[in-house]
Each structure stands twice: as C-alpha cells, then as structure tokens.
C-alpha cells in the first residue's frame, strides 16, 4: 500500500477529552475518530488492527471447536422477559420501539437470543456439547463512557455460549475456553492474569476475568507474589488475622459527643480502628439486614448480595432505622432484637474481644463490648463480608497480598442452569430421559483489547505494535524527489510486495522528519529508511520500533534485504509464538 | 471440517411464512433462522457464505482504491437535522433516545456520518478524490418485511461515499464503481443489468440500479431486445405513439349516468380508452395540480414529484375538488380556471385530437374535446408524466419494450452537492480558492445478494452455489461404519485437506440417502461419494451439483483424485472468471 493513496490523518496534539495513553494515541495516530460520546469511527489503519485482532480470536475459537454465528442486534423484549432480565438490565440497555410499537433492545449480550436459537437444534445428548459464538456489535448505554474505546457505548465483542448435558462437560469446555483465551491474549501480545471474579448479574456460579495489570484499570486485583494467587478484590476472601492482642476490659459507657465515624471515635478514644465495631444497616428487596464489621473494614456488597440472593441493596432510611430502634452513628450490640432484622457478623471479628461499639444512644459509645455476650455464636450467621485490601493475608498461603489496578479484556462464566431453566432447554440423555442442560458463556472485548495493547506497548514516541496485529508489519520511508529516485525506491517496494511482505510505503510529499515521527507514532514494528544513503550508496536502514535499534545494510541485492527483514519479523513473531506455545 | 462437529440443521418442510425460493431454501438448508419479523440469525453454513460474499466485495472495493472504515451504527440526530433528513426519513428510520434523552437513530445509510468524518480530513484538492466505504449492519423499520433476507429490518450493507473537486472526477469514480460493481456481481455468479433509476430521497442527479431479473423482484424494468436499452419503469421516458387515427368530430355532451371510470366510459361510448382524457386532481405540499393523461395511462408519481419538487402527493379531497369546481369522475377541460390550480398536460396527448372527456357535470361527458381549444399550447406545461408499460416504444430505438420484474442488488448515485452544501465540505483548489466538493455514493445489499444468488441458482433438489461463495467447495459423503472403513475414508479426507481443498466430510451417523439429499439441498458445487464402490473397489464418484453429472474414478491414488477434483473446481471457477474478465 502506498501512503499517498491511503489515509494517515495523524495529529500533533492530544485530544482534549483524552486522559489515558491509548485514547490519546489512537486519536493522534489516526486510528479512530470520535463521533459522539462513547461512539468511535474506525479509520482504515485502525480497522486493519481491529480486523487482525478479530481474526486471531476467530482462529482460536474455531480451533477450539466453537461454531461461528451472527445474530441480530435488535432483540425482542419477550425473550428478555422470559429470562427475567428485561427489568434487571436497567438503563444500560438501549430500548427501542418499532413502528408497530413492539419493544426491542440493542443486545448488550446474547444469552437469551442464543438460547432461543439453539434450543430446537439440540434434542439428544449426542448433540452436546455445543459451543456457539459470534463476533459482532454490542451496545451498552454507559452513564459515563470514558477512556476512548475502553468504555464505549458501541463496541465489538466476541461472545460465546456453550450447552452441556452435565457439569463435567461444562467444566471441560470452560477449561478449554480458559486455554483458548490465554492463547488469544498471548498472540495479541497481552500479558493477562486470569482471576476469580464476581459474576455480576450474569447469574453464574463460577467465573474468571482475564485482567491486564494497568494503572488505568477500573478493576482492582489482589495478587500474591509468593504463591501466585490472583483474585478480583470484589471476590477475594478475607481470612482472619491475629493482629488484635488479647485484652480484658469491662463494659462501660463513654460520652462521644458528635463522634459518629469510626475514625473519629477511634481517635477520640485512642484505640485502633480495628478495635472498634462497625455496624451497617441495610434494606434489600423489601427486607432488612444489619452487618457487624471490624471497624477498619468496608462492607463488600457483592459478597452480601450473593449470600442474600438480593437484587438491590441500599442503606436504611431514617424511618427504617427508627423502626428498629437504631441510631445512625451509634449502633452497637444491645438494641432490641426483631424477627424482621437479620443480623450478620463478619467472620474476622473475635467473639470475645472487647471492642468499642455504639451504645444505641445519641453521642454515646460503649467500651469492652464482647459480641459473644450479646449473640449466640452457635446460632448467629458469621461469614466473610468485608472487602479485601492490600496487605491482607493471601487466602492461599498467608503472604501479604498486593493490590493492582487491572483492565478486564475477557471473561469466562459457568452460567449453570439459569437460562436453561428459563428457556426450558433439555435433551434426552443416553437413557432417553429429558435432562435440563447447563451452560457456560465466554466474552472478549475486541476494541478494548486493541486499546489495552496500546496501554502496554507505548513509549514517548508513540505505539509499538506486536507484529501479530500491527496495521502494516513494515513501513518504508523514502525521501526520493526525482522521477528516477522514486523509481528506484519503487523497485525495492515492489520486490518486498512480491515477497509477500505486509508493507506500507510512505511516499507522501512530506519531509523525512515528519514521516519518521508518523511511523514511530503509529508504531509499525519495522521501519526501512531509504534516504540519502540509499540514493548515494544503496544503503538501507532497518529499525526495530520497539527497541529502536537500527541496522544499516546494503540494498543492492533484494534477496539479502528481504532475508534481513524476514529475519527480524521472524524474531518478533517468535516472541509471541513462544508465549503461546508455553500455554499449549 | 467434519459434519459431526459442525451444525447442519436441515429441514424437510418449507417454513409457513416463506413464499419465495430463496427464503424457503435458506431456512431448509439451515443457513438462517428467523428471530423476529425481518430479523434473521446466520448459522455457521450461512455465515460462511455471507463472509465469502463480503470478502469478494471487499477485494474489489480495495482494488478500486476505496478505503475501508467502520462507523458507529448509532448516529446522533443533530447530523440528520443538518442534512434535513431527520424529518424526511419517516418511520423507516429506527429512532432511539439514550439515558441522557439525546435522540439517535440506527443508521439506515451513512451519508451524514461520513460527511462529518471526512470533512476535516480533506483540505486541498490534493486530498481528492477519496472514496470511503464500510461493510456493516444497517437498519430499516420496513412496514412489511418479506421474502426472508431480501427485505429485512437488519442487514449487512456495503456503503461507499466518494468526494470530488469537480463533476469530471465524480464521473470517473462513478464509472469505476460501475465497473467494480459489475465485477463483484460477476464473481458472485449474478447476472445483473445496470438500469437508469429514480434516485428516491437520496437527493441525487444520476443513478443506476444493478438489477437481477427475477419474477419475485419488487421493481419493474423496461428492456429493449433490439438496442439493449434498460430502465427502471419508474424512470423510463414515454415517447409519443402515433396509434390514434386522425379524426374529426364536433364537441357534444352525452349522458353517462354512473359511468365514472375510464373503462366504464370507454365501453359505454364504444371508444378506445386511449381516445379518452384522464384527469388527476392532486394536492402537493399545500398546493394543487391537475394533470391530463391519455385515458389508458397511469400517472407516474415520481416524474410528477421530481418536476414539482414535491415531498408529498395525495388526491384532492371532496372540499378541495368543490373549491375548484371539479366533480370526481367527470372532470374535463372547461372548468373555471384558478391561479391556485396548476394544469399539466402529458406530452403524449394530441392537442387537436377529439377526445372523450368529463363535462364537469354529474353523469355527463363530452365527445370531440380538443385540448387546443381550451388551452394555449404555447403557454401550458406539457411533459412526460405517465408510467411506461410493456409494448411502449423504446425511448432509444422505438422497438417495443419488454417489462420484467427485477431485484435490486446494488445502486450507484451521483449525489452532487446536496451533502457537501449541508455540511460545508470544501477544499482549496489548485489556485487556492475554496471550492465546494461534489459526491457520489454506492451501495450493495450483501444479504440480499446471497438470497438473489439462490433465486437464480436453484432446482427441485435445492441450491447449487457458484463455487466462489459456496459454504464449502466440496462435500465428501461416506457410508463407512466400521472403524477400519472410517479410517480409510479419513485418509482420503486428510489428503484433500492437505491439498488445500475446502471440504466438508459428512461423517454423521445417518443413512446415505439422507446425506445425499442434504448435500443437494445445501448445494455444495462438488460431491464425492465414498460408498460401497469405494469400500469394495476403491471407486469414488464425483458429482457436479449444478449439472448433476457424475463421474466415477479410482481413488487408489490420492494425486489422481485431487487432480480430478481440482480440474472440476477450475472449470467451475473459470465460468465466473471469464464473465469477470469480459468486464475488464
């Protein structure tokens, strides 16, 4: 491809609304343009990258035995009502009425559609397992689209759904997808960590997110340097620490005027925050719960929601607090029990430790509060309800955990029978008995992968693409001005094309400095310079964009030149191949 | 690919709602499934075909120098308001409000989006011409989706838009696209006719539709066997015929009680319909027009709309007729003239012929009405306003025209400056002067191409795919049951795969009759049968699906077998290649 008949609209300045490297660089390198909030157009260079990513995803999915489909984006409300998600999906789902007043949505995910489609095609256990996928446009009406294509409102997703006779088969496909995902990300040049994740409103039982560690990540990971444990902080178990010195103290009431927050109270009474009791009073789905946590801990709402099977969780309002005799800021053991109020105790609390707690009176706390004196620990629910944090012991080996931000690029779920039940998808087993199927689902954000690679592969000059998804593998920069010189460069270009090299010849009528900067900004893995040295002495300089290492060789013999280029490309490919092979 | 790990959900019965061959066969062959009215899911076999079509379109567009983009489906209402189409597009455009109450639509076409995107990238005449395209999902809320994917509500379209400094450059790209389209359709195996077309509400000046003659077509074409003229009936000029014998007759009033229609009056008075005058009284955009036509002719509303520059056209209501002194069924020259009522006379009417016409009184007509006695033909507007029909003289050579139904698979337009003006897209010309650009646009319905190929390539057994877009080029049908026999067939399959042959091995546990029927229904161009003859004597039968010609050869030597298959595939490819080469 010649740059003069291509479109390379690079810009010098960062766009005003861009705060992260990938967003800035995608705009500056002319890969995308913003059309509206959270909506991006892909320009030719950007689309080449996106298509290369899609192809890698497709190749690996096909190799895993999955079958590619393409389903409508518009999906009728009926099927969402059948699964119960029409109301649950909330404002993130774009809803649209057609001219006949039928309600539809722009599919944010396709469990329902694939269930309806696959159901009549699977009748016997012999038709299972089956893993179906598509690579297609998805829509989510994000309240705050941001970071360019990382969190946008319209994006390309690879979504797959597998159907199984039993859990063993589901687990086999789940493991195969795990392997397939690791291979895909390795081929894209992405270093990912699979972490145990909360499965959100997908209704699943087990799930893992594929995370790329990055300071711009919207998720927080917990990592253990010692045993290699990795988790999403939302799902990392918090295990008991023994940092509290055993202590004896009689219960007594102290005046704590205006000291409502844990930190205020701890400071006021000169105790550590972890020596205080935090009480969180919540309403969920029309019912009520009160949770006791160690003072220095935050409630993990997902853990609580999962335990309660709750859809919505919100703090109690004043009238609700009053109803249960609770006083905001001063709640502690000892208020009147009610059969309408569930009491839960975080499992890291010590039943016999004398905590500081609210006295259930305004401006008063109690010291020396032992939970065991108020609650029967053989009956009361104790469970892990607090949020993990950096420095917590690894749930696996006890070593201190690190916390890192991460970008989620893929997600695999064991859905279980939620959708099979809703859509009554059953097959005859080998004994002729109707058996409800079980399901898995597996997603990859294609555009997000593109941006995440840039987050990992950029320097002060711009992007350096992994060779597997570079828009062109080689960029040829020439400074020829005369017809004769242009013809000489043209011969080199033609010989590269004939050798099957994926090359862009920057033949634009621009200065060499400008072209160099463009090639480094866009990030072609290999650059050939055919400058003065070429015109005078047939010398060609080969640059490895990532390392910025240069090598000057003679360009007299096209064969030697091509072998030099191919040798560099091979070594770049080998890096990715080696990582992929390691996975198996 | 082995059929046992693939999905081939063929069915025996036609779906109830399918009335055309392509719809029936796409469903029966397991290529698509309906998800809702006008919404179809592509199954693996169908998607392979669709992707092959997309790739042919992409290859030819790229070869023409066009650049591929991908734009958001969601487009903000602002840009549609800028072009003036937000109101014009009517109910066919899906409109959607986002969570912030901003109005958007699901792009039914992308002139506006591409204009906004391309505008800042073209500054000088050196940046032109540029031809940009995408292959992406489009939405139209059809009032009556029908014929399966031929008229659906969500579909894949290739849409291209070119920008030019002047008309000469536009014409050059337009001709290149015309050539490119002919090559694309030839490669798909489609016989298309480019016809002059009405440009609808696209705002253009010249346009051609690529039509495939088919009884299920929704458009009517006029074709001349003599000179090769082809047109859309909506735009074919009607030229004067001299079939009316010259005749002298005095004007006289005749009683025609209850005879309102042309055919009633003609029969009642024993004259030919073409000897009567038809009067059509209409309202358009708040104004009024009365059109005189030859009695046997229908008004062509598009011709009238284009002349008037009208958006809406409707018959006058009773109060409007009364206001102008017109009596429905009995309108004729001689009513009181009004400056508010424009009178138009179809150009095939003879000013001096004594027609039968309404007498402007109930139940009365006049005989011997000469238009020239009522209207001054040096002042009155005469123009071509009637609908062309079979048997009309060819506007080019005078030979009688044929009328045929046609399916539109592509459309090229010269848009002119409509959008350049709306979006103020100008560049500096070679003298440094700002110059408004001019535009073209070019569309292909990808799914519709798939269905249209089936309309052209089917027989009582099913589909016979052109080899260029067949889901698999070769289907291998085996009846092996024992491990040993399966292994022998497997060896043949492996040798074909190694030779790069695109083969599906139907290794399903089904009877041979079933497999034969499936392969003929789905329409793989070449079938290999490894039946009893193979197991006993190493004989393999090769079938050409289109001609149903069979040839039995020895399968002992894989080389010979592969050469036989490749030879047949080459001859199938050559048919398409030859047609493509003819175009140039």
């Amino acid at each position: 491809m010649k740059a003069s008949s291509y479109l390379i609209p690079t810009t010098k300045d960062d766009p005003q609304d861009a705060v992260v490297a990938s967003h800035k660089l995608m705009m500056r390198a002319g890969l995308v343009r913003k059309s509206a909030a959270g909506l991006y157009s892909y320009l030719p260079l950007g689309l080449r990258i996106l298509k290369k990513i899609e192809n890698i995803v497709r190749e690996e999915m096909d190799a895993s035995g999955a079958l590619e489909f393409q389903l409508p984006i518009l999906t009728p409300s009926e099927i969402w009502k059948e699964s119960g998600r029409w109301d649950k999906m909330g404002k993130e789902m774009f809803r649209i009425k057609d001219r006949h007043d039928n309600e539809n949505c722009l599919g944010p995910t396709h469990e329902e559609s694939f269930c309806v489609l696959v159901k009549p095609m699977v009748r016997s256990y012999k038709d299972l397992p089956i893993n179906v996928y598509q690579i297609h446009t998805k829509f989510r009406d994000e309240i705050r689209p941001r970071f360019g294509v990382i969190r946008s409102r319209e994006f390309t997703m690879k979504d797959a759904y597998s159907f199984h006779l039993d859990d063993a088969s589901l687990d086999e496909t789940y493991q195969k997808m795990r392997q397939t995902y690791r291979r895909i990300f390795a081929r894209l040049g992405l270093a990912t960590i699979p972490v145990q994740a909360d499965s959100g409103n997908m209704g699943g039982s087990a799930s893992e997110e594929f995370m790329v560690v990055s300071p711009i990540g919207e998720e927080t990971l917990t990592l253990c340097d010692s045993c290699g444990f990795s988790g999403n902080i939302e799902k990392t178990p918090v295990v008991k620490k023994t940092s509290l010195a055993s202590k004896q103290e009689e219960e007594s009431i102290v005046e704590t005027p205006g000291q409502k927050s844990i930190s205020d109270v701890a400071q006021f009474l000169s105790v550590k925050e972890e020596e205080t009791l935090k009480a969180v009073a919540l309403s969920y789905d029309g019912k009520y719960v009160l949770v006791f946590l160690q003072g220095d801990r935050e409630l993990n709402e997902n853990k609580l929601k999962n335990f309660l099977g709750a859809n919505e969780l919100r703090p109690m309002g004043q009238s609700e607090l009053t109803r249960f005799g609770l006083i905001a800021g001063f709640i502690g053991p000892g208020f009147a029990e009610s059969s309408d109020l569930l009491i839960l105790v975080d499992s890291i609390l010590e039943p016999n430790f004398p905590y500081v707690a609210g006295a259930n009176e305004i401006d008063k706390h109690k010291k020396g509060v032992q939970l065991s004196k108020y609650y029967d620990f053989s009956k009361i629910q104790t469970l892990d309800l607090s949020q993990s944090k950096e420095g917590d012991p690894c749930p696996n080996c006890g070593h201190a955990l690190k916390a890192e931000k991460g970008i989620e690029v893929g997600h695999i779920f064991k859905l279980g029978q939620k959708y099979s039940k809703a859509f009554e998808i059953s097959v005859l087993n080998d004994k002729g008995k109707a058996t409800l199927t079980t399901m898995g689902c597996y997603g990859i954000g294609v555009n997000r992968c593109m941006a995440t690679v840039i987050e990992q592969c950029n320097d002060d000059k711009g992007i350096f693409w992994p060779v597997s998804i570079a828009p062109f593998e080689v960029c040829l920069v020439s400074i020829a001005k005369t017809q004769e010189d242009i013809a000489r460069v043209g011969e080199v270009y033609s010989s590269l094309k004939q050798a099957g090299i994926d090359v862009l010849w920057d033949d634009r009528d621009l200065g060499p400095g400008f072209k160099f900067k463009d090639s480094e900004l866009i990030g072609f893995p290999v650059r050939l310079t055919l400058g003065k040295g070429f015109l005078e002495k047939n010398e060609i300089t080969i640059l490895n964009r990532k390392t910025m290492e240069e090598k000057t060789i003679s360009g007299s013999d096209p064969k030697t030149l091509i072998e030099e280029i191919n040798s560099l490309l091979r070594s770049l490919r080998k890096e990715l191949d080696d990582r992929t092979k390691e996975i198996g």
Side-chain angles (χ1 to χ4, degrees), chain A residues 38-39 72-74 80 89 91-95 105-110 136-142 152-157:
Chain A
L39 300 175
I73 289 168
L74 270 178
W80 293 90
M89 292 299 278
K91 286 197 170 179
E92 271 198 14
M93 194 153 85
F94 278 107
R95 290 155 210 258
C105 77
L106 304 183
T109 171
H110 275 69
H136 206 17
T137 310
K138 293 267 185 290
F139 294 82
R140 285 189 197 163
D141 197 0
E142 296 283 351
S152 62
R153 300 197 296 163
E154 178 175 337
F155 49 95
T156 303
M157 192 166 151

Side-chain angles (χ1 to χ4, degrees), chain A residues 22 24 28 34 53 58 63 87 97 128 134 151 211 300 307 343 410 431 435 438 474 476 489 504 515 524 557 562 575:
Chain A
S22 58
K24 289 177 190 171
R28 283 187 50 209
K34 184 175 171 177
I53 297 175
R58 180 173 289 118
D87 295 324
K97 275 192 183 173
L128 299 182
Q134 62 174 347
R151 188 163 288 280
M211 292 289 204
N300 179 316
F307 170 73
I343 292 174
K431 290 175 186 69
T435 309
T438 187
V474 176
L476 187 165
V489 177
L504 177 80
K515 292 185 186 182
F524 307 105
D557 178 18
I562 287 161
E575 280 178 40

Side-chain angles (χ1 to χ4, degrees), chain A residues 190-235:
Chain A
L190 277 176
T192 54
I193 304 172
V195 303
Q196 290 296 322
D198 184 80
S199 52
N201 66 351
M202 303 294 287
S205 52
S207 78
E208 275 168 290
E209 288 170 338
F210 288 79
M211 292 289 204
V212 174
V213 169
S214 162
I216 71 151
E218 299 184 290
E219 307 281 333
T220 305
L221 321 183
T222 48
L223 304 172
C224 177
D225 282 342
S226 175
C227 73
F229 167 88
S230 61
N232 187 315
I233 201 158
E234 290 296 324
K235 231 192 171 177

